[in-house]
Amino acid sequence: MTKVAFITGITGQDGSYLAEWLLKQGYQVHGLARRPISDVMRSHLYQVHQHVQLHYGDLTDGVSLNTILDQVRPHEVYNLAAQTHVAISFQAPEVTTNINALGTLRILQQITHNPHLRDTKFYQASTSEMFGNSMQTPQSELTPLAPASPYGIAKLYAHLLTQNFRSSHQVFACAGILFNHESPRRGELFVTRKITQAFARWVSGQHTILELGNLDSRRDWGHAKDYVRAMWMMMQHHTPDDYVIATGTQHSVRDFCNMVAAYFNIPLHWQGSGVSEQAVHAQTGELMIRVNPELHRPLDVINLVGDSSKAQRVLNWQPEYDLNDLVQHMCEHDLQLVKNLMQ
Ligand code: NAP
Ligand code: G4F
């Protein structure tokens, strides 16, 4: 029997990689889209859009979700849709909560109320942002959760709800507590992609200033392809549970800039001692990295690194890519993108 999967957030970084992975496993893949088909064809789904079935709806629209879920009757639901920008969540906390927290409730309610969905498995995209500024390092499934942003708080609601539906309604519901993961498909507002794009533009002769916020913030950056495989592995295990997915290594935003500069072979000369302004000099010109205080968050999470030993032990999950591979993939892609745009 062909398995049927339904992915919310299918047009995003993870959704598109997950769709490709599930198609390879022989699934029939359905996805929720909130934008016109012409947009979706130009999105990350361009390679596989003819193999996935898209349904127009929105996580804030319970009626559309109920209708679609009743039509599709999936064996597995992957809830990846979200307002994913932490900084934006400070400016738009209400819509962030509606999508990230109540959107999850709308799906879980439908799974429990619709008799055709009684055996439907559910995956929730939980996040390391729920740890906030934790006293514990590295962070595991047992680390106390104390989010520091409206995004993290909404995600914590959805995370607890997932656990609650698992224990109170016996839904096969898993939550993947995923640490930051990136790829050439990463949204352009996130710091890694902002950096690789700026360097690629600079190498191509577009000498712009790169403005960043907190350079000292440290993250555990993995590759999105490894992380969507982990989502699927959680859903194939005999028992639903929560798992941290991370690499266990940590780098600062400043380190990431240095790695990208090394990839493009741009010698760096950091100028200035404070955080107000830093200059990077290169042999063939000058790339300026300027700290813009407006890019600092009202409260930042500064020290994330995950302990994924449970996922390694129970699911036999291992990442295939390291940070050097990730930097290489992102830089190669962004350089090609700039070249294509300049033709
Ligand atoms: P992403 O690239 O920003 O994609 C977000 C997706 O959500 C897009 O498909 C977007 O649709 C969709 N979406 C946003 N609002 C929606 C709404 N109201 N109704 C329906 N769809 C909506 O995010 P990602 O990096 O793939 O992350 C996937 C999930 O994992 C998210 O839930 C995120 O919070 C979580 N997560 C991500 C990371 C990470 O480091 N990437 C780590 C931990 C957890 P459009 O294309 O129309 O905008
Ligand atoms: O790339 P970021 O915006 O990712 P952040 O905030 O960690 O959130 C991402 O990972 C979460 C998992 O922990 C996901 F749940 C979430 O959906 C998203 O995918 O920022 C990373 C760090 C922050 O400390 C930020 O203050 O980089 C710092 N930063 C410094 N300059 C910047 C910038 N972040 C952005 N976006 N833009 C800057 O110019």
Side-chain angles (χ1 to χ4, degrees), residues 59-75:
L59 273 200
T60 59
D61 180 350
V63 174
S64 73
L65 289 174
N66 293 356
T67 309
I68 296 164
L69 283 167
D70 190 48
Q71 256 173 25
V72 176
R73 299 190 182 168
H75 298 104

Side-chain angles (χ1 to χ4, degrees), residues 110-233:
Q110 179 64 4
I111 287 178
T112 48
H113 287 152
N114 186 332
H116 298 294
L117 303 177
R118 198 174 302 126
D119 296 327
T120 297
K121 297 180 178 181
F122 177 81
Y123 173 87
Q124 171 58 20
S126 291
T127 163
S128 49
E129 188 69 18
M130 297 186 308
F131 293 116
N133 282 304
S134 179
M135 302 292 282
Q136 213 172 294
T137 299
Q139 296 91 34
S140 75
E141 295 82 3
L142 303 175
T143 303
L145 300 169
S149 63
Y151 168 83
I153 292 166
K155 282 286 187 177
L156 177 56
Y157 173 93
H159 182 73
L160 296 176
L161 204 65
T162 302
Q163 293 177 335
N164 181 260
F165 272 66
R166 182 162 71 215
S167 46
S168 64
H169 296 285
Q170 287 72 52
V171 177
F172 188 107
C174 300
I177 308 171
L178 272 49
F179 281 64
N180 296 51
H181 47 281
E182 323 289 308
S183 75
R185 298 183 188 173
R186 186 55 145 152
E188 296 177 1
L189 290 182
F190 296 97
V191 76
T192 55
R193 190 78 198 286
K194 190 171 165 183
I195 293 167
T196 57
Q197 283 201 324
F199 274 79
R201 277 196 290 269
W202 186 86
V203 165
S204 310
Q206 298 173 25
H207 291 175
T208 50
I209 294 173
L210 170 57
E211 292 200 334
L212 294 172
N214 187 358
L215 297 176
D216 298 316
S217 178
R218 294 187 299 280
R219 288 290 182 274
D220 179 336
W221 282 299
H223 198 301
K225 280 191 176 182
D226 282 329
Y227 288 43
V228 301
R229 190 165 41 83
M231 296 174 189
W232 176 77
M233 291 173 94

Side-chain angles (χ1 to χ4, degrees), residues 68-96:
I68 296 164
L69 283 167
D70 190 48
Q71 256 173 25
V72 176
R73 299 190 182 168
H75 298 104
E76 297 174 13
V77 172
Y78 294 85
N79 182 33
L80 311 186
Q83 192 299 97
T84 55
H85 297 273
V86 174
I88 290 174
S89 78
F90 284 98
Q91 284 155 27
E94 198 172 322
V95 74
T96 302

Side-chain angles (χ1 to χ4, degrees), residues 34 38 50 57-59 68 73 102 108 145 150 156 191 218 228-229 233 244 258 300 307 320 334 342:
R34 58 173 183 162
S38 51
Q50 65 274 42
D58 197 294
L59 273 200
I68 296 164
R73 299 190 182 168
L102 296 181
L108 280 168
L145 300 169
L156 177 56
V191 76
R218 294 187 299 280
V228 301
R229 190 165 41 83
M233 291 173 94
V244 160
N258 279 319
D300 203 1
D307 171 1
E320 283 175 14
D334 284 339
M342 287 169 76

Side-chain angles (χ1 to χ4, degrees), residues 224-246:
K225 280 191 176 182
D226 282 329
Y227 288 43
V228 301
R229 190 165 41 83
M231 296 174 189
W232 176 77
M233 291 173 94
M234 287 176 214
M235 296 283 265
Q236 309 319 306
H237 196 63
H238 51 75
T239 317
D241 207 344
D242 307 327
Y243 296 92
V244 160
I245 301 297

